[in-house]
Each structure stands twice: as C-alpha cells, then as structure tokens.
Amino acid sequence: MAENLRIAVLASGEGTNLGAIIKAQDEGILGNARVSLVISDNPEAKALVRARESGITTAVIEKNSSITPEEFDGLLIDELGKASVDLVVLAGFMRVLGKKMVNAFSGRIINIHPALLPCFKGVSGVSDAFDYGVKVTGVTVHFVDEGVDTGPIILQGHVDVEQADTKLSLEQKIHALEHQLYPRAIRLFVDGKLKIEGRKVLILE
Ligand code: GAR
C-alpha cells in the first residue's frame, strides 16, 4: 500500500493545509506517497496556485446550477479514476460528498475539521466554538461517510482558548495544529496502520 500511493487533495480556498501536506511530502514525512492531483470546486482557489507552483496536476469542477450534486460526484469520480488515486484528502473542501462518491472511495476519503467533533460540525467550526465560549477546542481528522462531519475519528488534537484570544488568533492556533496533525494522519493511512471498526479507528502498531 505504501509504495507510490497516489493522493488527491480536494480544496476550495486558501490551501494552507495543502501547503503543509506538500511540505511534509518534500520532507519525506509521507513516505512514498505523492500528491498527484489537486481538485477544486472554485477556480479562484489559492490552493490551485499552490499546487501548480509545486508542479502538481490540477482540475476544476465548478459548482454551478447547471450540474446536479450527483453529476458533480460523477465528474469527481472520473477525475480521480483517471489519475488512479488511492486516497482522497479533503482540505477545506466546502462541499458535501454524495453517496456515489463516498461509496466509490469507501474508507479512502479523509477530512480535517477545525473543531473537536462531534461539536461544531459544519462550515464555521472555529467561529462557532469561539462564539459558544468553549475553553478548549481543537482539530479532528476523520474518515468521511455519508453524513456531515460524522465519520470515524482518526486523530484529534486540542488547543486552549485563552481569554485574550480573538477569532483570528484562535484560527491561527487551529491552523498551526492542523498542519501538524494532517500529515501525521496521512502517514498512518499510507503505512496501512488505520483499521476502521464500527465507529472506532484503531491505530495498529
Ligand atoms: C481548515 O481550517 C479546515 O479545517 C476547514 O477549512 C479550513 C481550510 O483551510 N474545513 C472545514 O471547515 C470543513 N468543514 P485551508 O484552505 O487554508 O487549508
């Protein structure tokens, strides 16, 4: 599994997690796995620029009213299939994947969420946690199932919310943690060390 495993990263925005994953790859932290494709639903995504700067193939599948979610999934599966992708890594991909896509890559799609799931699901995890007034929040890497942020949890890390924190400073702390945690989770997958048992993900020795 670890030999030349091909990763596709799906990203809609800034792509700082993509940047961290590429850096980890360059430093050998991902073993022999390679990011071979970056796909975005947003042609303006900075993630696409980052990918191109690193010589990674990119594709855009625009979300617009002329294609249904099922058609979007079909196009996505085609792109991933053409590139013989083994692992799909969602990094700020602001779109819910449908049943067809989740089934096509069952157990091979992972996501990063900027809160301690199952709290603060959805698209504004940092802001929601901050507004709620939690003292501790964090980051979750999980397998993707058909729900929104509901799949089995691979790794979590926490950050303290200090009195002096603002949404911006909290977001910066969360990002810094994400950039450590996501490459670690990917490496565990690459090494075949993750085993899903019901809701639990076992990390094999
Ligand atoms: C990250 O904080 C990620 O956890 C979050 O989007 C951000 C993308 O940042 N994802 C979600 O909220 C998914 N529900 P990036 O584009 O700089 O990697």
Side-chain angles (χ1 to χ4, degrees):
M1 184 72 135
E3 195 74 12
N4 296 324
L5 185 139
R6 294 167 70 86
I7 297 171
V9 177
L10 275 52
S12 302
E14 274 298 305
T16 65
N17 278 286
L18 170 66
I21 292 165
I22 294 171
K23 183 165 175 277
Q25 170 184 292
D26 293 345
E27 290 171 352
I29 292 168
L30 302 187
N32 289 327
R34 288 288 167 270
V35 179
S36 52
L37 178 64
V38 171
I39 300 180
S40 185
D41 55 346
N42 169 17
E44 307 298 326
K46 175 100 186 291
L48 291 169
V49 178
R50 288 182 200 269
R52 289 178 195 129
E53 282 172 359
S54 297
I56 299 166
T57 304
T58 61
V60 176
I61 306 172
E62 276 198 68
K63 46 179 173 196
N64 60 46
S65 52
S66 65
I67 59 167
T68 65
E70 291 72 29
E71 285 167 341
F72 183 94
D73 271 13
L75 294 171
L76 196 51
I77 292 166
D78 287 349
E79 287 291 344
L80 296 168
K82 272 192 284 180
S84 303
V85 164
D86 301 297
L87 171 66
V88 179
V89 172
L90 309 186
F93 190 63
M94 295 307 186
R95 196 183 166 94
V96 178
L97 300 176
K99 190 175 180 158
K100 189 170 163 184
M101 172 63 200
V102 172
N103 287 341
F105 284 85
S106 176
R108 295 190 292 144
I109 310 174
I110 62 175
N111 181 45
I112 193 156
H113 184 75
L116 290 174
L117 292 173
C119 290
F120 309 115
K121 295 172 179 160
V123 294
S124 47
V126 178
S127 176
D128 291 347
F130 183 84
D131 289 342
Y132 196 89
V134 297
K135 305 288 190 194
V136 177
T137 183
V139 171
T140 304
V141 180
H142 63 96
F143 282 105
V144 172
D145 63 11
E146 283 177 43
V148 177
D149 300 328
T150 53
I153 292 171
I154 300 169
L155 290 179
Q156 288 186 305
H158 71 275
V159 300
D160 290 331
V161 185
E162 309 289 349
Q163 202 134 305
D165 268 322
T166 60
K167 265 185 204 176
L168 183 63
S169 67
L170 182 59
E171 192 172 61
Q172 286 165 344
K173 287 189 200 174
I174 293 281
H175 267 127
L177 179 58
E178 287 185 330
H179 299 166
Q180 300 298 316
L181 214 61
Y182 220 180
R184 272 179 50 209
I186 293 169
R187 180 63 191 256
L188 288 170
F189 182 95
V190 168
D191 287 345
K193 289 192 172 167
L194 300 178
K195 185 170 180 225
I196 303 174
E197 274 193 8
R199 277 228 48 89
K200 298 207 167 50
V201 178
L202 306 184
I203 298 178
L204 306 175
E205 292 301 315

